[in-house]
């Protein structure tokens, strides 16, 4: 059955709000595409226009659903798209933090590449649970037990998503604390701080703010799911447009204005020397363990016990060529070639 006899909404859905939001998200998405082209940073920040596109599509479906409130497939499509878009922005934060750790490798608690693989892997598992739970609830022929199981899976997935993101913020805070102790980042803005210290502090603050915005949205979804279909959040439309709309647009707009690639080099082989001033082109941080082992033990816990020597290339920084400030944001490397 495609259409239901009654509206699927417990309220009269707005026909204006989706249009406003799809327009502002579309404008922000177009600008992020321009920034990716300008900084040649598709491998790092391509998820920003991708997430924006998912939001635009979601609000288009929401607008169509407002005119056909009893059409089940459109209702499910709009709901799923608006659920999937914010985690895409979380992926952006994973990638950017990984790139920050590549930039300051000697203070990184883990291999920078494991930030993306670990948290993205967790998100994939959470997404599978969400999809399975949503499918059980949307199945019109599902038994009462299947529907209850689907709701339980949705609750579990949203809580896991929140826990995963808090772990990510904890990793960022741990790294930030190391930077402060090392003297690379000042706890407060000072005129004496060098340019690299200022940029590192700004990009870390950007990640905190972005993480805070996304976490607020996750909390909203957790509360909504536990309140159930009869709860306040499910029976009123404005929370959706505040937390999934305004909050997420604020995150996109912030990264339009203060794009991460303005503060980081495009090449993950470029790192900041321990003096906190000089940028050098190193060999890059390569995990030489077998691929299967990196999946099973992403944080190299076994290495803590075996005491196996790691490739600490930053201890031989004088062997690596110095690169200029123009390498930040997709500029030129020491050989004059574009850094990618």
């Amino acid at each position: 059955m495609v259409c239901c006899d009654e509206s699927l909404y417990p309220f009269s859905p707005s026909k204006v709000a989706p249009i406003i939001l799809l327009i502002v998200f579309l404008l922000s998405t177009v600008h992020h595409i321009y920034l990716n082209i300008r900084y040649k940073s598709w491998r790092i920040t391509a998820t920003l226009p991708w997430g924006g596109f998912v939001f635009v599509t979601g609000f288009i479906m929401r607008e169509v659903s407002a005119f056909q409130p009893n059409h089940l497939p459109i209702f499910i499509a709009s709901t799923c798209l608006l659920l999937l878009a914010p985690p895409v922005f979380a992926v952006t934060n994973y990638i950017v933090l990984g790139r920050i750790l590549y930039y300051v490798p000697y203070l990184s608690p883990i291999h920078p590449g494991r930030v993306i693989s670990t948290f993205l892997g967790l998100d994939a598992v959470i997404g599978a649970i969400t999809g399975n739970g949503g499918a059980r609830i949307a199945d019109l022929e599902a038994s009462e037990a299947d529907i209850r199981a689907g709701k339980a899976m949705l609750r579990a997935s949203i809580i896991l998503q929140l826990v995963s993101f808090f772990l990510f913020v904890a990793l960022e805070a741990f790294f930030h604390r190391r930077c402060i102790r090392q003297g690379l980042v000042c706890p407060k803005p000072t005129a004496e701080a060098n340019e690299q210290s200022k940029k590192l502090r700004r990009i870390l603050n950007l990640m905190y703010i972005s993480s805070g915005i996304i976490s607020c949205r996750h909390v909203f979804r957790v509360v909504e799911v536990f309140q159930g279909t009869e709860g306040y959040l499910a029976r009123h439309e404005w929370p959706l447009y505040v937390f999934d709309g305004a909050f997420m647009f604020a995150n996109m707009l912030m990264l339009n204005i203060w794009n991460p690639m303005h503060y980081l080099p495009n090449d993950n082989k470029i790192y900041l020397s321990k003096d906190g001033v000089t940028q050098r082109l190193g060999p890059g941080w390569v995990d030489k363990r077998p691929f299967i082992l990196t999946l099973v033990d992403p944080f190299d816990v076994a290495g803590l016990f075996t005491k196996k020597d790691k490739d600490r290339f930053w201890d031989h920084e004088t062997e690596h060529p110095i690169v200029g400030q123009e390498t930040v944001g997709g500029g030129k490397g020491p050989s004059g070639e574009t850094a990618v």
Side-chain angles (χ1 to χ4, degrees), residues 122-149:
L122 287 173
D123 278 1
V125 173
I126 292 168
I129 297 173
T130 303
N132 199 340
R136 288 170 182 259
I137 294 173
D139 187 355
L140 297 177
E141 298 179 358
S143 64
E144 189 66 30
D146 282 340
I147 293 175
R148 284 198 301 269

Side-chain angles (χ1 to χ4, degrees), residues 177-190:
R177 183 177 178 83
R178 282 187 168 185
C179 288
I180 293 174
R181 286 181 172 179
Q182 185 77 10
L184 292 183
V185 175
C186 298
K188 296 181 180 180
T190 60

Side-chain angles (χ1 to χ4, degrees), residues 162-194:
L162 192 61
V163 170
S164 172
F165 210 62
F166 280 153
L167 289 174
F168 168 78
V169 174
L171 175 63
E172 180 184 357
F174 184 71
F175 169 75
H176 192 180
R177 183 177 178 83
R178 282 187 168 185
C179 288
I180 293 174
R181 286 181 172 179
Q182 185 77 10
L184 292 183
V185 175
C186 298
K188 296 181 180 180
T190 60
E192 293 77 15
N194 63 56

Side-chain angles (χ1 to χ4, degrees), residues 46-113:
T47 45
L48 288 172
W50 174 24
F53 176 75
V54 176
F55 262 121
V56 169
T57 308
F59 284 119
I60 289 174
M61 299 304 294
R62 182 79 178 195
E63 178 68 12
V64 175
S65 182
F67 284 94
Q68 301 182 51
N70 63 337
H71 197 286
L72 184 60
I74 296 176
F75 174 82
I76 292 175
S78 66
T79 301
C80 289
L81 286 168
L82 294 179
L83 278 173
L84 291 172
V88 176
F89 293 146
V91 173
T92 302
N93 288 9
Y94 303 156
I95 297 172
V96 171
L97 180 59
R99 186 49 59 97
I100 295 171
L101 298 186
Y102 273 118
Y103 189 54
V104 192
Y106 43 88
L107 296 182
S108 176
I110 63 173
H111 186 289

Side-chain angles (χ1 to χ4, degrees), residues 162 165-166 169 210-220 248:
L162 192 61
F165 210 62
F166 280 153
V169 174
S210 178
S211 298
I213 292 172
I214 296 172
S215 295
C216 286
R217 181 266 176 189
H218 287 344
V219 170
F220 154 65
M248 292 298 99

Side-chain angles (χ1 to χ4, degrees), residues 21 25 55 59 82 86 89 212-221 223-224 232-233 237-251:
L21 285 168
F25 271 104
F55 262 121
F59 284 119
L82 294 179
F89 293 146
I213 292 172
I214 296 172
S215 295
C216 286
R217 181 266 176 189
H218 287 344
V219 170
F220 154 65
R221 285 298 183 180
V223 175
E224 180 188 41
Y232 179 87
L233 295 178
E237 192 174 26
W238 70 263
L240 169 75
Y241 292 118
V242 170
F243 292 99
D244 272 348
F247 272 46
M248 292 298 99
F249 174 68
N251 185 71

